[in-house]
Every structure is written in structure tokens, then in C-alpha cells.
């Protein structure tokens, strides 16, 4: 009897903890069946997600989706993009119109819970700020009492704006415009004194839409924490794991000095961490239900996190953004991947 009980316990533990590869959930099965990842992105935010005249998308958020496609298919082009407004984005994910939302979206408690979303690791640490015409003569957000402020509804930006002015005992007049293009046009046409959104977004908008970018300044204050990153639906842990570890793999690759240029040489490394990451020591792909070259394909086809950052928003782009908190933890930043083992 004791032997039977022990055997039964062993069987139960094997079922509970699993001894083989991860099973495919509904999203991963659907993605594999159609042959591509459907990714929700911004309608047009240079540096993060922006189409050219031929409909080719580029940007940091776009590359996150390409990394997921590379991990699943070994093909970074196996992804299609759905441009979404701030108001459309969550419904599109909840309804299954898209598989992953990668659209400069802030991770918050209520979005993580009541909206039925799971946020993967942060891909860009940001904060909300204010942009004003230089001619206004304002040097600090504390001088904005009574200002008219352009803002989009249905965003954390709108809520943070109200919180900031209330906390400072100041008044403001909101100019609330739903369309991204229209709110930008309103600000540059002088309909409001101030534009508020994430600092990275303001840098993008100023560099691409202002007739003379030097006529506008971004004030020094950041009034919020805006951890931006991809989100998936609740209830599909297998796909969530893939998205999560695709991001971590790009961060770990940068930390270990693995780039798209040297990844073929790094496959020969004797470093056990590099061997596990690149699949020369198998097991990590099986754990995710993917080919053992899943992370190799991310780095080879898309790049490590540093390459993705610099190519899209770094100091040599029109946005001219420093790494700052988006640097590796070893360089004083916040980018940190858990052990891949």
C-alpha cells in the first residue's frame, strides 16, 4: 500500500510540475496556425512605432514584436501590425483582434487587474512631462498656473495631469482631443500653451512635427513614473512566458556582450550562461515550447536591447535620447534580466 501511495504522489508531482516542454496555449496555437504574430502599435510615433510611405513599420515597440516573432518562427518578419488609438488599444487586445499590445502603454495596477492584462517586462522607463513654446518664457512646470494644456483622453497622462496641478494648488484648462494627430496639430497651431505626454513621446513629436524643433522646450520636471512595455491577455501563461522571456533575452544578450554582429561567434562560447541563452546547451527552448535557437534568432534577426534602443531612439537618432534608466543595471540603469537557467 505504501508503495502505491508513493507512486501516486510521484505521478501527481510529475503532472503538477511537468517534466517536459511547455504545452502550447490558445494564443500560441492560433499564432502558429496563422503563421504570424498580430501586434497592436501606435498609429504613428517615430522612434517607437511608425510606418513609412510603403507601410513598413519601425520603432522600439515594433522591434519587441519582431523579437517575439523571431522567437516563435525564427523569422522576425512573421508579424503584422494593427495601428491603434489610445482608446482602441485595450479592447483590441481583450477581444483577440491582436495577440500582443506593444504601444507605449504604461503598466498600472488597474490595467494589470481589472482590464485583464498581463504586462511583460518594461521595455522603456519613462515619465510624463510638459512641452511649451520657447516664446512662452516658462522654465519650470511650477510656472504653469492657469495654462491651457493639450492632452489625450483615456490615458494615464490625463489622470497624472489633474493629480499634479491639484497637488501644486494650481489651475489649468484642459484641451482634450482624442485623435493623436489632432492633438499634435492643436498644440503646434497654438490652441494650447502646453503639451503633456510621456517625455519620450514629446521628444518624438517635437523632432518630427515641429516646423522648427528649437522653438519648443521640454520642461525639466517629470511628474510620474511611466514604465512602458508589451501586454498580453490574462489566462494564457504559455504565450505570456514567451513574450516575457523574449524581452529578457534581449537584455541578457546585451549584458553578455552578444550582438547581431557577433552572435554566430558567441555560439562557441564556453560561458554556461551564453550556452544556455543561445541554445548550444539545450533546455531553455524546451521550457518555453520553442526551438532551442529562440534567443539566438532574436539577437541575430532583431538585436540585443542596446541595439534596439540605439537604432530607434538613441543619441544618433532624431530623438537623441540617452540611455538613463534604460541602461543596463551594471551601468546604473534599470534593465535587468532574471537568470536564464
Amino acid at each position: 500500500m505504501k508503495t502505491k501511495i508513493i507512486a501516486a504522489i510521484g505521478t501527481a508531482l510529475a503532472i503538477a510540475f511537468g517534466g517536459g516542454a511547455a504545452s502550447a496555449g490558445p494564443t500560441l496555437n492560433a499564432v502558429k496556425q496563422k503563421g504570424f504574430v498580430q501586434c497592436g502599435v501606435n498609429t504613428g510615433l517615430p522612434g517607437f512605432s511608425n510606418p513609412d510611405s510603403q507601410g513598413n513599420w519601425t520603432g522600439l515597440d515594433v522591434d519587441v514584436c519582431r523579437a517575439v516573432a523571431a522567437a516563435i518562427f525564427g523569422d522576425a518578419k512573421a508579424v503584422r501590425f494593427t495601428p491603434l488609438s489610445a482608446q482602441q488599444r485595450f479592447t483590441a487586445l481583450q477581444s483577440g483582434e491582436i495577440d500582443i499590445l506593444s504601444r507605449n502603454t504604461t503598466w498600472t495596477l488597474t490595467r494589470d487587474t481589472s482590464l485583464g492584462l498581463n504586462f511583460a517586462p518594461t521595455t522603456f522607463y519613462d515619465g510624463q512631462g510638459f512641452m511649451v513654446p520657447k516664446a512662452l518664457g516658462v522654465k519650470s512646470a511650477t510656472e504653469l498656473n492657469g495654462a491651457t494644456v493639450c492632452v489625450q483622453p483615456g490615458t494615464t497622462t490625463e489622470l497624472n495631469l489633474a493629480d499634479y496641478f491639484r497637488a501644486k494648488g494650481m489651475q489649468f484648462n484642459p484641451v482634450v482631443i482624442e485623435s493623436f494627430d489632432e492633438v499634435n496639430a492643436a498644440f503646434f497651431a497654438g490652441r494650447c500653451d502646453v503639451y503633456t505626454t510621456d517625455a519620450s513621446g514629446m521628444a518624438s513629436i517635437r523632432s518630427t512635427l515641429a516646423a522648427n524643433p528649437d522653438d519648443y522646450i521640454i520642461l525639466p520636471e517629470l511628474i510620474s513614473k511611466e514604465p512602458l512595455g508589451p501586454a498580453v491577455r490574462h489566462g494564457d501563461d504559455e504565450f505570456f512566458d514567451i513574450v516575457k522571456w523574449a524581452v529578457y533575452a534581449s537584455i541578457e544578450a546585451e549584458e553578455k556582450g552578444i550582438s547581431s554582429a557577433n552572435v554566430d561567434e558567441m555560439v562557441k562560447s564556453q560561458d554556461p550562461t551564453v550556452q544556455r541563452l543561445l541554445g548550444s546547451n539545450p533546455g531553455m527552448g524546451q521550457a518555453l515550447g520553442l526551438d532551442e535557437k529562440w534567443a539566438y534568432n532574436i539577437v541575430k534577426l532583431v538585436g540585443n536591447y542596446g541595439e534596439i534602443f540605439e537604432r530607434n531612439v538613441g543619441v544618433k537618432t532624431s530623438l537623441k535620447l540617452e540611455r538613463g534608466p534604460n541602461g543596463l543595471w551594471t551601468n546604473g540603469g534599470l534593465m535587468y534580466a532574471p537568470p536564464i537557467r
Side-chain angles (χ1 to χ4, degrees), residues 99-284:
D99 304 310
I100 176 174
L101 178 66
S102 187
R103 188 202 175 281
N104 57 297
T105 298
T106 302
W107 184 356
T108 71
L109 185 151
T110 51
R111 289 174 175 177
D112 201 12
T113 54
S114 60
L115 289 185
L117 309 182
N118 278 337
F119 280 83
T122 297
T123 53
F124 192 92
Y125 289 94
D126 209 347
Q128 183 176 334
F130 300 100
M131 179 165 61
V132 298
K134 188 179 293 184
L136 200 62
V138 171
K139 302 298 183 184
S140 168
T142 58
E143 302 173 42
L144 295 178
N145 188 35
T148 57
V149 184
C150 279
V151 63
Q152 281 189 283
T155 60
T156 56
T157 305
E158 184 181 27
L159 302 176
N160 294 335
L161 173 65
D163 285 349
Y164 178 78
F165 273 80
R166 186 181 304 114
K168 294 294 184 182
M170 300 192 303
Q171 302 294 319
F172 73 100
N173 300 304
V175 178
V176 181
I177 303 174
E178 182 171 323
S179 165
F180 177 73
D181 291 336
E182 290 178 10
V183 73
N184 294 335
F187 173 67
F188 290 117
R191 285 184 55 191
C192 40
D193 306 312
V194 184
Y195 189 112
T196 185
T197 189
D198 298 339
S200 61
M202 288 189 297
S204 173
I205 292 162
R206 181 177 65 172
S207 68
T208 57
L209 298 181
N212 185 357
D214 290 338
D215 288 344
Y216 299 88
I217 62 171
I218 296 174
L219 300 179
E221 292 88 352
L222 293 179
I223 67 170
S224 69
K225 294 181 291 185
E226 305 293 332
L228 310 179
V232 298
R233 288 180 291 278
H234 270 176
D236 194 339
D237 289 345
E238 293 82 6
F239 190 67
F240 179 42
D241 285 344
I242 290 170
V243 175
K244 178 169 53 180
W245 286 100
V247 174
Y248 283 142
S250 70
I251 297 170
E252 183 74 358
E254 183 186 7
E255 182 177 339
K256 300 302 289 187
I258 309 168
S259 69
S260 57
N262 70 10
V263 65
D264 288 320
E265 188 63 28
M266 293 296 286
V267 169
K268 306 169 189 175
S269 171
Q270 297 304 304
D271 183 328
T273 300
V274 174
Q275 291 178 336
R276 287 191 295 270
L277 179 65
L278 298 183
S280 14
N281 186 354
M284 300 303 99

